[in-house]
Amino acid sequence: MKILVPVKRVVDYNVKVRVKSDQSGVDIANVKMSMNPFDEIAIEEAVRLREKGVATEVIAVSCGLASCQETLRTAMAIGADRAILVETDVELQPLAVAKLLKAVVDKEQPQLVIVGKQAIDDDANQTGQMLAALAGLAQAAFASKVEVADGKATVTREVDGGLEILEIKLPAVVTADLRLNEPRYVTLPNIMKAKKKQLDVLKPADLGVDVAPRLKTLKVTPPPARKAGIKVADVAALVDKLRNEAKVI
């Protein structure tokens, strides 16, 4: 069984982002970039399925600038067998990414696509669902546990009321939630091995996909600065402010 795992290069989650002075977007100049954490979980899950003997090959795919090769090398250091980069300098939106991934799915014919539920930069939570719709595949979102056997995937997903268990026929798309697993530490030997693994570079035109943006960002503004706190003399004063000023009790 072949598993395809899309990964995205984003600003590292430890970095405090800054808005550009012209409010056109987020400033990423000289900022540390890394793999989207949810995609890292997706790669880990795919590698674990291969280690269990359920899958035979794990393919990482990314769409974006040439620098995304670094993210793909990280995916291969975690355990992906090979990688595909769809290279473009156009700002990609979820629908365009889903169309590119659909073309890659048609080309590679994976039985399972595992993708992070959302990227931490735009928080769109759209690509996995759009891909499933475009490719006509079954889908299970927000997976906290995945088991694959007999041409089916049993997916446990977290919902407001507890846990929901779905059984879907393969091929399918599964989006990974935070509690699906804890990604392994990438060792130096595996980083060196990843440099020798196959990485194919394609263009959107090679896949016959138009990636022109359909949405326009009008303005990006930082959240308002948090007001400074105050000290109160005693508990009675605290209760008075909570009741009469904040009106929370």
Side-chain angles (χ1 to χ4, degrees), residues 85-217:
L85 171 62
V86 183
E87 186 179 343
T88 176
D89 57 1
V90 175
E91 181 183 352
L92 295 175
Q93 295 170 352
L95 180 58
V97 175
K99 288 181 177 180
L100 291 171
L101 293 177
K102 193 264 184 183
V104 174
V105 166
D106 291 343
K107 183 174 182 288
E108 295 291 339
Q109 294 294 308
Q111 284 69 52
L112 183 61
V113 180
I114 308 179
V115 59
K117 70 170 185 175
Q118 65 195 77
I120 62 172
D121 53 0
D122 58 15
D123 275 335
N125 181 23
Q126 294 176 335
T127 304
Q129 293 89 326
M130 286 178 170
L131 171 60
L134 291 171
L137 302 178
Q139 64 170 305
F142 312 134
S144 59
K145 184 179 180 182
V146 178
E147 296 177 342
V148 179
D150 302 323
K152 297 178 181 178
T154 303
V155 179
T156 302
R157 58 192 303 270
E158 297 181 357
V159 295
D160 290 341
L163 299 176
E164 180 181 58
I165 300 177
L166 302 177
E167 184 179 85
I168 55 177
K169 292 183 179 180
L170 301 180
V173 176
V174 172
T175 69
D177 207 345
L178 187 65
R179 279 168 286 278
L180 181 58
N181 61 54
E182 184 175 340
R184 68 193 67 190
Y185 176 76
V186 180
T187 62
L188 181 59
N190 285 335
I191 293 174
M192 300 307 293
K193 290 177 183 177
K195 293 182 179 181
K196 299 180 180 180
K197 291 185 178 180
Q198 179 182 346
L199 195 161
D200 299 320
V201 179
L202 304 173
K203 299 288 186 181
D206 300 333
L207 300 172
V209 177
D210 178 15
V211 296
R214 292 169 177 257
L215 304 174
K216 181 180 179 181
T217 301

Side-chain angles (χ1 to χ4, degrees), residues 7-11 33-36 62 67-68 70-71 121:
V7 296
K8 185 177 183 181
R9 185 173 182 263
V10 299
V11 175
M33 308 291 284
S34 62
M35 186 189 303
N36 179 48
S62 188
S67 51
C68 292
E70 180 183 344
T71 306
D121 53 0

Side-chain angles (χ1 to χ4, degrees), residues 221-238:
T221 57
R226 185 176 179 180
K227 294 181 180 179
I230 60 172
K231 292 183 179 181
V232 294
D234 50 34
V235 173
L238 173 62

